[in-house]
Amino acid sequence: MSENCALRRANVLANHILQSPPQPSNISLAREACLQYTPPEVNESYGFQVKEMRKLLDGHNLEDRDWLYGIIIQSNLFNRKIRGGKVFVSPDYNETMEQQREISMKRILHLLEKGVFKGWLTETGPEAELKKFALYEVCGMYDYSLSAKLGVHFLLWGNAIKFFGTKRHHEKWLKHTEDYLVKGCFAMTELGHGSNVKGIETVTTYDPRTEEFVINTPCESAQKYWIGEAAIHANHAIVISQLEINETNQGIHVFIAQIRDQDGNICPNIRIADCGHKIGLNGVDNGRIWFDNLRIPRENLLNSVADVSPDGEYVSAIKNPDQRFGAFLAPLTSGRVTIASCAIYSAKVGLAVAIRYSLSRRTFSAVATGPEVLLLDYPSHQRRLLPLLAKTYAMSFAANDMKMMYVKRTPETNKEIHVVSMGLKALLTWHNMRTLQECREACGGQGVKTENRVGHLKGDYDVQTTFEGDNNVLMQQVSKALFAEYVSCKKRNKPFKGLGLEHMNSPLPVLPTQLTSSTLRCSHFQQKNVFCLRERDLLERYTCEVAELQERGESRELSFLLSHQLSEDLSKAFAEKAILQAVLDAEAKLPAGSIKDVVGLVRSMYALICMEEDPSFLRYGYHSRDSVGDVRREVSKLCIELRPHALALVTSFGIPDAFLGPIAFNWIEANAWS
């Protein structure tokens, strides 16, 4: 060690021991300025009137929606909390399952006191039904457990009495149900049978001596399963059961059974168990029910379709058992309509949170010393969210059309409502799940926090894809309905009418070989050519394949099963065309101006992203490899054109700030130490 080095080390040790101050340094430790939140509204402009766009999107009952928003936001019962200087309302997911169930019922009773449910069962007509749809959608945006409980009580239990019952049932049950003096559930699904309703095993017989029906659960697989409200709150149940009269099975029928007394005690000859904790919807008390020779009065058969006389004679105006079975599934149509529309409002919440966050959150710099870039200014982020935004807009128009079709239904339109509601229920709920997952990821770690809503909505809404009809099964039924319509028209040599198949009366469209930007955005090309050609070709392929299989000796049902891939492609083509038609109809009614221009961009994005994402366009030759590339490039161009409208488009959802998550606003202040 050199002398200088030793001396230097000795000085360091001496300074340390003597705690002398350190030598001054020329290194600058100046602090960079902290990140500051900038509201998106500062830098983003509205290129159209958002209030007018909201009228177009919500479609009906805006004042009623805003009234209910206010009731929820103003009550501490809905878990009001202040984050970043703003009020937010959302369920408290720190609560136990038992607490979530009880608070859900307290919230229902609070809304009952405020008159929210007035007329939900006792008023009739399109206006009353549309108001019910609107208020139900608002409840679903706050908490799907809340709307699911309402759905069980009003749409399943209540509508079963309304549709299947007669005057005596309406007078006895409907007003009491609306006032929650009766709490109902809908016991159809069993451990062994869900989608296959015909196969349920619960059996009801008739005892003419006492004029009573006797309901029995003959085996464990026949236990009623996943019955919402059954575990705790319901005191009556709609029971879907096989009816045996004089040892002849008359198929499924609908009965009313009391399962608890007014004090909440389970009635004799009934056993009830809890289904337990779920991945979502833990505010709903799903239960299992066994009937041990439960006796109910003869009058508790809902007898609008069929009846049993006091001496045990079975009578029905509908002699065909299959037609009778179809009549018993009517309440599920209203359920599917509400499920589809609620799914879109859930997607709106997710997109509003994710897009607002992406308009204030920055990351990385485009140049070495430049500012960090907004998330939504990255082309990849635009590609993730803006096509989903366009799809959500398109599906909103379709959901509104479906609701209008439902509230104005006639016997002649019931078939079309049934088919359309199945297709849209499947597509819209699948879209919701995909959208929420993308929004969750687009929010990064903040998307994992339940207070930011997106992640937990995914868990709550997941069940939509399988309840009131498994989506895959529903889509198979759509294809079968189209098959039946096609075969019927061909056999009778009649033109197609209904189910949107009228385009098949026209010559086969021919697609251009060169797809320019203007061609791809042309509504006639999108709807009259591409989407109609896809549906037409797939329907013809499907019917041919089923016919060929039957000619080779396969049964009709097995032929359908073996053709499942074409069935899936066809049903998707049908539903996507119906959605595109809804956008075109909405667009056609608009006067020239900024809103019409933006809806046109949304419509083009919807049509082209469907073309890009569906392999059938390439698989069956509707597009060449070159044209697929043209479509993809046009989608990217549309992302750039929709980007300036992103804030205005999500603001047009009309969702109050309090229904979103803190990261949609000042996420720095919301996470400050306090």
Side-chain angles (χ1 to χ4, degrees), residues 518-670:
S518 59
T519 300
L520 288 169
R521 298 190 187 200
C522 172
S523 61
H524 184 84
F525 166 76
Q526 294 164 357
Q527 175 69 337
K528 300 300 181 186
N529 289 356
V530 181
F531 277 62
C532 288
L533 173 63
R534 175 178 56 154
E535 181 184 52
R536 180 180 191 148
D537 179 63
L538 288 170
L539 180 50
E540 290 174 348
R541 287 174 185 268
Y542 182 54
T543 52
C544 285
E545 183 166 294
V546 170
E548 288 173 3
L549 287 165
Q550 288 183 280
E551 287 172 5
R552 296 207 300 259
E554 304 291 357
S555 69
R556 178 184 170 90
E557 281 306 311
L558 184 57
S559 297
F560 281 130
L561 294 176
L562 293 173
S563 302
H564 68 95
Q565 289 178 314
L566 273 170
S567 169
E568 292 165 7
D569 291 338
L570 171 60
S571 56
K572 184 179 182 181
F574 167 82
E576 287 185 344
K577 183 174 72 68
I579 293 167
L580 180 57
Q581 186 61 55
V583 191
L584 287 165
D585 292 343
E587 185 182 357
K589 296 173 186 174
L590 292 171
S594 55
I595 289 183
K596 189 180 184 78
D597 293 342
V598 172
V599 171
L601 289 176
V602 165
R603 181 252 306 152
S604 287
M605 175 66 91
Y606 171 77
L608 294 179
I609 200 65
C610 287
M611 292 183 207
E612 182 182 270
E613 292 177 346
D614 186 1
S616 69
F617 282 99
L618 189 58
R619 179 184 297 135
Y620 302 110
Y622 316 134
H623 284 332
S624 66
R625 291 178 61 183
D626 288 342
S627 59
V628 167
D630 294 334
V631 168
R632 190 172 198 186
R633 282 186 290 274
E634 201 63 30
V635 169
S636 296
K637 290 179 187 177
L638 284 164
C639 283
I640 295 170
E641 293 176 45
L642 282 171
R643 162 63 185 88
H645 301 293
L647 180 62
L649 287 168
V650 295
T651 303
S652 299
F653 291 157
I655 304 170
D657 294 355
F659 273 58
L660 305 180
I663 59 165
F665 303 98
N666 192 337
W667 41 271
I668 295 177
E669 181 64 25

Side-chain angles (χ1 to χ4, degrees), residues 346-367:
S346 165
K348 289 177 182 178
V349 173
L351 285 164
V353 171
I355 287 177
R356 287 191 64 90
Y357 184 57
S358 72
L359 289 169
S360 67
R361 181 71 154 86
R362 297 175 178 272
T363 187
F364 301 113
S365 302
V367 294

Side-chain angles (χ1 to χ4, degrees), residues 217-233:
T217 302
C219 52
E220 286 298 347
S221 60
Q223 63 180 272
K224 295 298 182 182
Y225 212 96
W226 289 127
I227 310 306
E229 302 289 272
I232 298 173
H233 292 129

Side-chain angles (χ1 to χ4, degrees), residues 58 71 100 105 110 117 120 160 197 206 214 237 253 297 311 367 479 494 524 540 548 591 665:
D58 275 340
I71 289 174
Q100 289 182 53
M105 182 52 71
H110 176 75
F117 312 131
W120 277 32
V197 178
Y206 180 70
V214 184
H253 286 67
D311 61 356
V367 294
S479 295
K494 296 284 186 179
H524 184 84
E540 290 174 348
E548 288 173 3
F665 303 98

